[in-house]
Amino acid sequence: MLERRKIRMYKIAVLAGDGIGPEVMAEAVKVLHAVEKKFDLEFDFLEGLAGGAAIDAYGMPLPESTVKLCEECDAVLFGAVGGPRWDGVEGRLRPERAILGLRKHFGLYANLRPAVLFPALIDASPIKREIVEKLDLLIVRELTGGLYFGTPKGRDESGGKVRAFDTMTYTEHEIERVAHIAFKAAQKRKKRVTSVDKANVLETSRLWREVVEKVARAYADVELCHMYVDNCSMQMVTSPVQFDVILTENTFGDILSDESAVLTGSIGMLPSASLGDKKHYLYEPTHGSAPDIAGTGRANPIACILSASLMLEYSFQAADASTAIKQAVTKALDEGYRTSDIYTGTGKLVSTNEMGDIIARLTERCP
Ligand code: NAD
């Protein structure tokens, strides 16, 4: 008797955004189509407007219809938003508000940014081969607390002297929940968490350390160490392969994750996942809308393709399909295909569209 294979069906909200967003998104969707049949998955892609494109259509960066569409879906795949065209709009209507609004609406408090140096790209990294070889780290950044959201914040004036202030706050709960995500991620990797703080100066960091140590007791198989953020930023360029999972608060994570991006050769290679307590997780490349190269076919779609691979892993528990995409990316790079941002004079220079075709084809052929 023929065995009936069960097809798993998922709805994906596709918010391509502005600039190179739609260009890289088209390639990620292409690669997702390539895993459907092979891994018994079926995707329904529902497109929504966000960022500048939504400002043009609705006068706001995150219209209610887009939020509703995301709510109806199992995961959100986001491209990039922004561009000079909307630089003049007032703060609360800026395109970037779309992403902040989604984070807030879906309570996405943990941002995961893997930074992997593909062996074929070692010469694209500005760091010496012997230092950066075998780099494979994951930054888990707290996303909804700390300095960026703490109140009071503002400006005042007294006696003709202007003062500006921001507040850094963290509750035990905020630290605890993101720490669990970091330890769980470490259990699937090399079982090492480096918690990064500034506990020698900041009260929030002292609480951070205390809570992380408490959480660590539930993960006896994971080794925990603490590091001050200034030291960490130095270690990141002098000895980055020592890291497995870096767990840190919002502002430190913002800065350290951009530093990790540089190690891998191009920001066009870096995916990210934002997780929370509800099922609606969001996946996006870490780069912006790159208006300087939009429409030229020079955008690297790999960050967006790898974001789709993270979606398969974290939202759909389809580790086999996720791995197939990662292997296809590795193979495309090993075979010498390069978009202009990672082209160092050797290999085959390809367009955004061609890179997507190649990765989709290799994904279909993965064993
Ligand atoms: P950016 O990441 O868009 O570009 C920085 C540099 O990297 C540019 O030279 C660009 O050409 C290059 N680059 C970025 N992605 C690339 C890719 N996939 N392939 C090849 N090269 C790539 O950052 P920016 O220039 O500071 O910002 C441009 C716009 O994007 C701004 O409006 C900014 O606010 C917005 N932005 C949006 C997001 C987001 O949507 N999450 C994030 C960052 C910046």
Side-chain angles (χ1 to χ4, degrees):
M1 201 172 78
L2 272 178
E3 187 197 341
R4 274 186 71 155
R5 292 162 71 176
K6 193 167 178 307
I7 309 277
R8 289 182 290 156
M9 295 164 82
Y10 296 103
K11 281 187 187 173
I12 302 171
V14 174
L15 312 184
D18 313 312
I20 63 166
E23 299 167 32
V24 295
M25 183 64 81
E27 305 315 312
V29 169
K30 193 184 280 175
V31 173
L32 282 168
H33 276 309
V35 292
E36 279 184 305
K37 217 167 169 188
K38 197 174 165 89
F39 294 96
D40 299 330
L41 296 160
E42 203 174 298
F43 303 124
D44 195 1
F45 297 98
L46 304 179
E47 291 182 15
L49 291 180
I55 295 174
D56 290 348
Y58 298 100
M60 62 186 80
L62 184 63
E64 195 48 49
S65 54
T66 297
V67 175
K68 216 160 158 257
L69 178 119
C70 295
E71 275 172 351
E72 282 164 17
C73 289
D74 299 295
V76 181
L77 196 54
F78 194 91
V81 291
R85 184 181 160 138
W86 303 280
D87 276 351
V89 303
E90 65 173 293
R92 70 186 175 88
L93 289 180
R94 284 188 64 85
E96 295 78 8
R97 285 271 148 195
I99 188 80
L100 297 177
L102 287 168
R103 281 178 191 164
K104 188 160 181 231
H105 185 84
F106 292 112
L108 303 170
Y109 59 79
N111 186 233
L112 277 61
R113 288 194 182 189
V116 178
L117 181 66
F118 289 88
L121 289 190
I122 198 142
D123 294 325
S125 174
I127 306 289
K128 284 189 204 131
R129 170 183 285 264
E130 57 273 26
I131 289 176
V132 84
E133 209 165 18
K134 301 207 169 88
L135 174 87
D136 180 1
L137 63 85
L138 173 70
I139 296 192
V140 178
R141 166 190 169 196
E142 201 289 327
L143 205 56
T144 52
L147 204 50
Y148 295 174
F149 296 94
T151 51
K153 60 165 70 231
R155 264 171 189 252
D156 58 20
E157 194 177 337
S158 167
K161 293 203 168 102
V162 180
R163 181 180 76 126
F165 48 93
D166 296 285
T167 305
M168 193 171 198
T169 70
Y170 267 108
T171 64
E172 218 177 335
H173 172 65
E174 284 172 325
I175 302 167
E176 218 172 75
R177 60 187 186 176
V178 71
H180 279 293
I181 288 194
F183 280 97
K184 285 198 176 98
Q187 281 183 317
K188 293 194 206 144
R189 297 172 49 96
K190 287 180 236 141
K191 301 185 170 55
R192 243 183 7 250
V193 169
T194 306
S195 175
V196 174
D197 61 35
K198 189 74 184 162
N200 49 345
V201 179
L202 298 173
E203 205 53 58
T204 41
S205 282
R206 284 191 273 273
L207 179 66
W208 183 276
R209 222 173 243 226
E210 244 172 77
V211 176
V212 171
E213 281 189 357
K214 220 187 287 170
V215 171
R217 286 184 211 134
Y219 301 89
D221 54 335
V222 179
E223 179 196 334
L224 168 68
C225 71
H226 302 280
M227 195 177 276
Y228 294 138
V229 63
D230 36 359
N231 183 23
C232 182
S233 82
M234 206 164 59
Q235 299 284 331
M236 196 89 109
V237 285
T238 53
S239 169
V241 291
Q242 69 181 287
F243 297 113
D244 178 23
V245 174
I246 291 178
L247 163 66
T248 192
E249 64 87 49
N250 204 345
T251 310
F252 300 161
D254 193 1
I255 298 163
L256 291 175
S257 55
D258 271 24
E259 196 179 348
S260 74
V262 171
L263 301 177
T264 64
S266 168
I267 192 147
M269 297 293 300
L270 281 189
S272 83
S274 297
L275 316 184
D277 284 331
K278 299 183 198 158
K279 73 164 187 174
H280 300 90
Y281 296 168
L282 183 144
Y283 302 87
E284 58 170 334
T286 52
H287 59 74
S289 59
D292 54 333
I293 56 164
T296 65
R298 279 158 62 205
N300 185 346
I302 292 179
C304 198
I305 291 170
L306 290 175
S307 301
S309 153
L310 286 176
M311 179 177 70
L312 293 169
E313 183 182 347
Y314 285 95
S315 283
F316 306 154
Q317 285 71 49
D320 46 1
S322 171
T323 303
I325 293 178
K326 282 187 265 184
Q327 284 173 348
V329 169
T330 307
K331 197 143 199 301
L333 297 171
D334 286 347
E335 288 181 6
Y337 296 106
R338 302 282 187 272
T339 42
S340 59
D341 57 315
I342 48 174
Y343 183 70
T344 51
T346 50
K348 294 158 233 167
L349 186 60
V350 292
S351 67
T352 312
N353 181 28
E354 286 167 330
M355 184 60 107
D357 285 345
I358 291 158
I359 295 170
R361 199 182 62 232
L362 291 170
T363 302
E364 272 168 7
R365 283 199 206 145
C366 264

